[in-house]
Amino acid sequence: SAIVELIATHEVSTVHVSASLFNFLLDEYPGCFTGVRQVMTGGEPLSVAHVGKALAEYPGLRLVNGYSPVESMIFTCCHTVEARDAEGSSIPVGRPVANKRVYVLDERLRPVPVGVVGELYMAGVGLARGYVGQPGLTAERFIAHPHGAPGERVYRTGDLVRWRADGILEFLGRADGQVKIRGFRVEPGEVQAVLMKHGSVRQAAVVVREDRPGDKRLAAYLVAEPGTVLDPADVRAHAAASLPEHLRPSSFTILDALPLTPNGKLDRKALPAPEVTASPGGRAPRTAQEKLMCDLFAEVLGLSEVGVDDDFFHLGGHSLLVTRLISRIRAVCDTELSIKTVFEAPTPAGLAERLDGAEKARPVLRRRSRS
């Protein structure tokens, strides 16, 4: 809401937000980009569905997809989105900006032809010197330039891309399984290793799912040690003790065995969609405010119902959905709650208790013409 107010108050013409925040503003604040001439976004792959929505709602808007890992600050490539981009499976990342260079190379560091998938390497202004106190990782990622001057280095991004015939780069994913969720770098293998340290977990797999467009989430699939019974709540608590919020899976599914392909690899396509449901047998809401909070939780989380004592985060909630929940509470209850409040009281009953002492919502500012 603060961003929306700033745009309206100061008649902002250019906005730069992360891809997840861009999606959120489009969904929750209709008209927020009215009068804005340019939106620059990045940090993670753009949602094709939200790009199409933006182009339809703001036909005069210039939407720029910026791309770069932090090791090559700030943008390395940019692409001005066109209508045809919303018809593809991903939004291109474009061409390198001035004084930056990119190379698409094969496993032997040879340039690949147009249309062929390769790994992206970067050089030029803005390239980091390496990782502080990590010489091994620095040597692995910042290598001698295979096609440059003596002493010049390139950064190996680990991103898979390909050139289009028109000189535009298309981003296709990660070579090492790393993904970005809400702007954070996530190594599913790192999360999987933490889950495997639980005494009752025999096997674990962590994957990224996008069951709703633009809403990527980590999903954990677990197999119990023989003779034990796995409690998802117990494993969730184990993960919370070792992992920051953005690395914690939103769902924990217990399986008899992990599905495998004929050659023995994890069959990701055979993993079932997580079933996130309210706790059975919970008490009924005692007040109108508790009932309202249950309804708002269910709406934001995409569930049919939520129990009054169900934990927002145990039902798949994450930090960005917290912001959406606060927005809905502001609109329905005319009450201002903080993000911290939801983390402190993540159940409908807990938030209902906080409503009485909460501040009245601030009025949303509207754009007005200057006299």
Side-chain angles (χ1 to χ4, degrees):
S1 60
I3 292 174
V4 175
E5 289 181 10
L6 287 170
I7 292 173
T9 302
H10 300 286
E11 299 182 356
V12 173
S13 60
T14 293
V15 177
H16 182 189
V17 292
S18 69
S20 290
L21 185 53
F22 171 71
N23 298 344
F24 174 77
L25 290 171
L26 280 175
D27 291 338
E28 296 297 319
Y29 292 93
C32 64
F33 294 130
T34 300
V36 175
R37 296 197 295 270
Q38 176 177 248
V39 172
M40 304 176 74
T41 184
E44 57 197 310
L46 272 177
S47 161
V48 175
H50 286 87
V51 166
K53 183 177 181 179
L55 296 180
E57 293 183 3
Y58 307 96
L61 183 67
R62 181 175 187 261
L63 180 59
V64 178
N65 186 24
Y67 158 80
S68 186
V70 70
E71 290 84 352
S72 181
M73 293 294 285
I74 291 178
F75 281 174
T76 294
C77 295
C78 284
H79 175 68
T80 300
V81 177
E82 302 174 352
R84 62 171 179 162
D85 295 328
E87 301 173 359
S89 58
S90 64
I91 304 300
V93 295
R95 298 182 173 89
V97 301
N99 297 317
K100 295 201 174 191
R101 303 185 302 281
V102 298
Y103 308 88
V104 184
L105 308 178
D106 63 15
E107 65 277 1
R108 297 174 63 181
L109 302 181
R110 300 173 301 185
V112 302
V114 170
V116 174
V117 178
E119 187 171 350
L120 186 62
Y121 291 73
M122 297 179 170
V125 172
L127 194 68
R129 297 180 179 181
Y131 302 105
V132 175
Q134 301 185 68
L137 185 59
T138 296
E140 176 187 344
R141 307 304 287 190
F142 293 85
I143 65 174
H145 198 318
H147 309 287
E152 189 176 4
R153 298 171 308 134
V154 292
Y155 171 65
R156 180 182 182 185
T157 68
D159 289 341
L160 298 177
V161 297
R162 66 184 170 204
W163 289 111
R164 289 194 330 200
D166 58 1
I168 296 292
L169 274 177
E170 293 181 329
F171 177 84
L172 303 174
R174 291 285 301 176
D176 56 7
Q178 184 188 94
V179 294
K180 274 198 171 182
I181 299 179
R182 307 193 301 280
F184 292 101
R185 291 187 184 185
V186 174
E187 293 277 5
E190 176 186 354
V191 181
Q192 181 175 312
V194 169
L195 300 183
M196 288 294 293
K197 293 179 180 179
H198 187 283
S200 298
V201 173
R202 185 179 190 183
Q203 293 178 302
V206 178
V207 301
V208 177
R209 298 188 65 95
E210 192 174 356
D211 296 310
R212 292 194 292 180
D215 185 14
K216 292 182 179 179
R217 304 187 185 195
L218 283 178
Y221 296 87
L222 310 169
V223 177
E225 286 283 3
T228 65
V229 177
L230 265 180
D231 181 1
D234 185 40
V235 183
R236 184 185 296 276
H238 168 78
S242 304
L243 297 169
E245 189 266 337
H246 67 275
L247 290 181
R248 300 171 195 166
S250 64
S251 62
F252 294 80
T253 303
I254 311 300
L255 301 175
D256 293 332
L258 295 178
L260 302 177
T261 62
N263 60 0
K265 295 183 179 181
L266 178 68
D267 188 352
R268 297 173 181 272
K269 295 182 179 179
L271 291 170
E275 294 185 6
V276 181
T277 57
S279 301
R283 67 178 179 86
R286 293 172 297 189
T287 65
Q289 286 184 329
E290 286 188 349
K291 176 63 169 63
L292 178 60
M293 289 299 104
C294 288
D295 292 342
L296 292 180
F297 271 48
E299 176 187 338
V300 170
L301 293 167
L303 302 176
S304 58
E305 61 179 353
V306 169
V308 71
D309 295 312
D310 283 330
D311 190 295
F312 183 80
F313 302 100
H314 292 184
L315 296 177
H318 50 68
S319 54
L320 194 60
L321 286 180
V322 169
T323 312
R324 182 166 292 174
L325 177 64
I326 290 172
S327 175
R328 294 296 298 127
I329 292 173
R330 180 188 301 113
V332 174
C333 303
D334 194 28
T335 301
E336 198 77 39
L337 291 179
S338 68
I339 291 177
K340 181 181 179 181
T341 299
V342 180
F343 277 92
E344 292 175 342
T347 66
L351 279 188
E353 291 180 359
R354 301 291 184 97
L355 287 179
D356 291 336
E359 296 180 2
K360 185 177 178 62
R362 295 167 298 179
V364 177
L365 299 183
R366 305 297 181 185
R367 178 182 299 275
R368 294 188 302 177
S369 300
R370 287 179 177 172
S371 56

